Every structure is written in structure tokens, then in C-alpha cells.
């Protein structure tokens, strides 16, 4: 489902029912006192963010490092609590309670930036991928499911017997993707999933994400500090700076006709990734 843009630049509203609803979310992090008489400083990571993601949509969230992207994603995933405001997934409020989280994990999964720190080095890949199935008590043949998932992300079945350190960064991120998809979620949140990878393998991993999102009809929220990466994956984008959303629209429109000064700066600073992606995809 893609939004179409007419020549005046107005877009068709996103179709489909709301899957994620973020309502005026604020998140303040406390900072420890600096010294005996120092004031306890605090950081406002999110300053009144509202956002709706519709079924089947591929939404990008872009903005500079520290603007609050990961905080927002973690709050949607129930991993952090908002200081105020509300989040609903499929109409059900995300409260952070164990019961709600167990419910949420079957519907919504997250892929993080650094595949090494999110994969337990002492576990075999097959057990890593099956872990959410065990944790969520998903019934069925887990070994068969792991084999299916490995194939889906483009890895050999023998990978199940090996350990994370035996794989490249790109392969490890494929493993993270396989694990996230194991419980058949309908929503995938990806937090800079290719930012830690060599430029040469980014396009391949992005292709895996894109293909699976399309094949499985997932709703995707894709976070990146890099607008050019989001442009290849997402039809709609929101731009964040300093804990706020400052611009929102069809990706192509935001990219070619940025309105907010911050977005203009972001577009002007297009990194080489875009060229690398275009070249690789041109060949492949
Ligand atoms: P982004 O993902 O866009 O880089 P983050 O959500 O990680 O941004 O961070 C937003 C702001 O909140 C930053 O100023 C960061 O330093 C701060 N922050 C994030 N996590 C914590 C934490 N656990 N404790 C204190 N401050 C934090
Ligand atoms: Mg982040």
C-alpha cells in the first residue's frame, strides 16, 4: 500500500485501521546528581509526540542521534514507560505489565541496531531463533520453524548449529530478523537495523527486511538517522528533532520538498549510503 502524491504535493491519507497509536507521549530521563551539591539534571527525550501507524504501512522515523527515536520505539514496544501520554497497539493500551507484554510480543517484535549485543554469544543460533517461541509458549515444531526462518532470511539450515561469532555482521542481523519473525508478529519495529553494518552489506539486509515485510504483510516502523535509507524502505516518514516531530509526509515528498529547516539540513547532508544503495540495486 503506497501513498500517492499529486502535483500539488498533497498526499492520500494512509489506508487501513490504526495499529499503533501514540498520544502526546513525553519521556523524561533523570540524570544522577553531579557531585554533592550539583543539581540532578534531567533530559526530555520525548516532548509531546503523537503518531498513528496504520495496518500494512511502512513508516520511517528519521532524525539526528539523540532526538528520541529509540526512546519512542522502546515505549511503543513496552520496554520503556512514558513519563506521560499513552500508547495503544491494536487498540490495546501498552502498560508494561507482564501480561500485556506477553500479549504484545506475539504481535509486535523489534530488531535492534547492533546484532552482536542482542544475540547471546553462548547460545546456538537455532536456540536463539527459537527463544521467543519457547518464551511465548508457541506450540508446534520449533526446529522446523527455525529451518523455515533461516531460509527466509537467506541463511543455510546448518547455521542453526553454530554460534553468533561465526557469522558476519550482516548474517547476524539476518539472524536477529529471523528471531523477531519467529512468533509471526504483525508489526515489526526496526531500530537502525543496518547502521552498524558495512555499507557494502546494508542493501542486502535492507532487501531482506523489505521482502519479508511485503511477503508477510507486516506493518513496519523503521528508525534511522539516515533519510536515504528510509527512502528505500518506507512510503511515509516522520522527521524528529529534539524529542518532537517537526515534519511528516510521503517519503518522496519530504525528500524532494522538505518544508522544515531541520529536514532541509537533513536532506542536504545525504550520505554516501544512497549512492551505494542505488548502485548495488542497479546491478542486482
Ligand atoms: P536516538 O535514538 O534518536 O539517538 P535516544 O532515544 O536514544 O535518541 O535518546 C534521546 C535522549 O535521551 C538523548 O539525549 C539521550 O542521551 C537520552 N537518553 C536515552 N536513554 C537514556 C537513559 N537510559 N538514561 C538517560 N538518558 C537517556
Ligand atoms: Mg537510537
Amino acid at each position: 500500500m503506497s501513498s500517492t502524491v499529486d502535483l500539488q504535493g498533497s498526499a492520500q491519507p494512509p489506508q487501513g485501521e490504526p495499529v499503533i497509536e501514540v498520544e502526546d507521549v513525553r519521556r523524561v530521563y533523570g540524570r544522577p546528581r553531579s557531585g554533592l551539591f550539583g543539581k540532578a539534571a534531567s533530559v526530555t527525550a520525548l516532548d509531546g509526540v503523537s503518531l498513528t501507524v496504520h495496518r500494512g504501512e511502512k513508516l520511517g522515523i528519521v532524525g539526528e542521534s539523540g532526538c528520541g527515536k529509540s526512546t519512542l520505539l522502546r515505549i511503543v514496544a513496552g520496554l520503556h514507560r512514558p513519563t506521560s501520554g499513552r500508547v495503544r497497539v491494536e487498540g490495546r493500551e501498552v502498560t508494561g505489565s507482564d501480561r500485556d507484554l506477553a500479549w504484545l510480543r506475539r504481535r509486535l517484535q523489534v530488531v535492534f541496531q547492533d546484532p552482536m549485543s542482542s544475540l547471546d554469544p553462548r547460545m546456538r543460533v537455532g536456540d536463539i531463533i527459537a527463544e521467543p517461541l519457547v518464551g511465548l509458549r508457541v506450540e508446534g515444531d520449533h526446529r522446523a520453524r527455525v529451518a523455515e526462518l533461516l531460509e527466509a532470511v537467506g541463511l543455510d539450515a546448518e547455521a542453526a548449529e553454530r554460534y553468533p561469532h561465526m557469522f558476519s555482521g550482516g548474517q547476524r542481523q539476518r539472524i536477529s530478523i529471523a528471531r523477531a519473525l519467529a512468533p509471526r508478529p504483525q508489526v515489526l519495529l526496526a531500530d537502525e537495523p543496518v547502521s552498524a553494518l558495512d555499507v557494502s552489506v546494508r542493501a542486502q539486509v535492507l532487501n531482506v527486511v523489505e521482502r519479508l515485510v511485503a511477503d508477510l504483510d507486516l506493518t513496519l516502523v523503521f528508525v534511522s538517522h539516515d533519510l536515504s535509507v528510509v527512502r528505500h524502505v518506507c512510503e511515509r516518514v516522520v522527521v524528529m528533532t529534539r524529542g518532537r516531530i517537526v515534519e511528516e509526509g510521503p517519503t518522496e515528498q519530504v525528500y524532494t520538498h522538505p518544508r522544515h529547516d531541520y529536514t532541509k539540513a537533513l536532506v542536504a547532508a545525504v550520505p554516501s549510503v544512497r549512492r551505494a544503495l542505488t548502485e548495488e540495486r542497479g546491478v542486482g
Side-chain angles (χ1 to χ4, degrees):
M1 189 174 9
S2 65
S3 324
T4 51
V5 185
D6 68 25
L7 291 175
Q8 277 73 48
S10 66
Q12 266 181 9
Q15 314 280 301
E17 69 195 272
V19 174
I20 298 171
E21 294 161 281
V22 176
E23 242 178 65
D24 199 19
V25 161
R26 277 174 52 83
R27 170 68 207 223
V28 180
Y29 289 111
R31 279 271 164 80
R33 262 168 213 280
S34 51
L36 193 53
F37 303 104
K39 273 214 295 200
S42 62
V43 179
T44 302
L46 295 175
D47 191 8
V49 169
S50 298
L51 179 66
T52 302
V53 186
H54 297 82
R55 175 86 59 205
E57 199 181 2
K58 289 177 277 182
L59 176 78
I61 300 179
V62 295
E64 84 280 1
S65 174
C67 73
K69 306 179 299 294
S70 295
T71 300
L72 177 58
L73 222 68
R74 284 172 175 276
I75 287 175
V76 171
L79 301 169
H80 279 1
R81 298 295 307 138
T83 306
S84 65
R86 297 181 346 149
V87 175
R88 281 187 299 272
V89 172
E90 293 184 343
R92 177 163 164 163
E93 186 150 1
V94 177
T95 65
S97 76
D98 288 348
R99 219 172 110 241
D100 285 354
L101 281 181
W103 176 87
L104 191 61
R105 279 297 151 270
R106 281 175 172 261
R107 282 155 183 84
L108 178 150
Q109 285 279 328
V110 192
V111 174
F112 294 99
Q113 174 172 348
D114 179 5
M116 208 50 207
S117 66
S118 60
L119 301 179
D120 187 334
R122 296 157 305 178
M123 285 172 72
R124 288 180 201 272
V125 164
D127 295 329
I128 288 173
I129 295 173
E131 199 181 25
L133 301 174
V134 176
L136 295 169
R137 300 201 185 101
V138 175
E139 292 183 0
D141 183 345
H142 291 179
R143 280 178 69 98
R145 179 74 181 135
V146 166
E148 189 178 289
L149 287 158
L150 283 170
E151 193 186 343
V153 298
L155 291 173
D156 291 339
E158 299 88 74
E161 303 305 323
R162 296 196 264 148
Y163 293 89
H165 74 267
M166 302 164 100
F167 294 89
S168 69
Q171 290 170 328
R172 286 197 292 262
Q173 200 56 304
R174 290 171 193 257
I175 294 165
S176 305
I177 294 164
R179 179 177 58 177
L181 297 179
R184 303 183 194 277
Q186 274 121 53
V187 183
L188 186 66
L189 310 182
D191 192 355
E192 310 251 15
V194 300
S195 301
L197 305 179
D198 287 346
V199 171
S200 60
V201 298
R202 282 183 189 175
Q204 297 162 18
V205 174
L206 279 180
N207 282 339
V208 171
V209 172
E210 268 188 300
R211 182 169 46 77
L212 290 171
V213 164
D215 288 354
L216 302 172
D217 241 339
L218 302 178
T219 303
L220 175 72
V221 179
F222 189 104
V223 160
S224 179
H225 64 278
D226 182 347
L227 188 50
S228 62
V229 170
V230 160
R231 190 187 193 190
H232 282 269
V233 183
C234 300
E235 59 223 357
R236 186 162 75 98
V237 65
V238 300
V239 181
M240 286 182 65
T241 183
R242 298 168 180 224
R244 289 168 176 270
I245 293 175
V246 292
E247 186 157 354
E248 180 267 321
T251 313
E252 218 36 53
Q253 180 186 323
V254 170
Y255 202 93
T256 51
H257 298 100
R259 278 180 295 198
H260 194 278
D261 283 347
Y262 176 74
T263 315
K264 288 178 187 167
L266 206 63
V267 170
V270 165
S272 55
V273 179
R274 187 178 64 168
R275 276 191 300 279
L277 280 172
T278 317
E279 280 160 18
E280 281 194 33
R281 290 190 177 200
V283 174

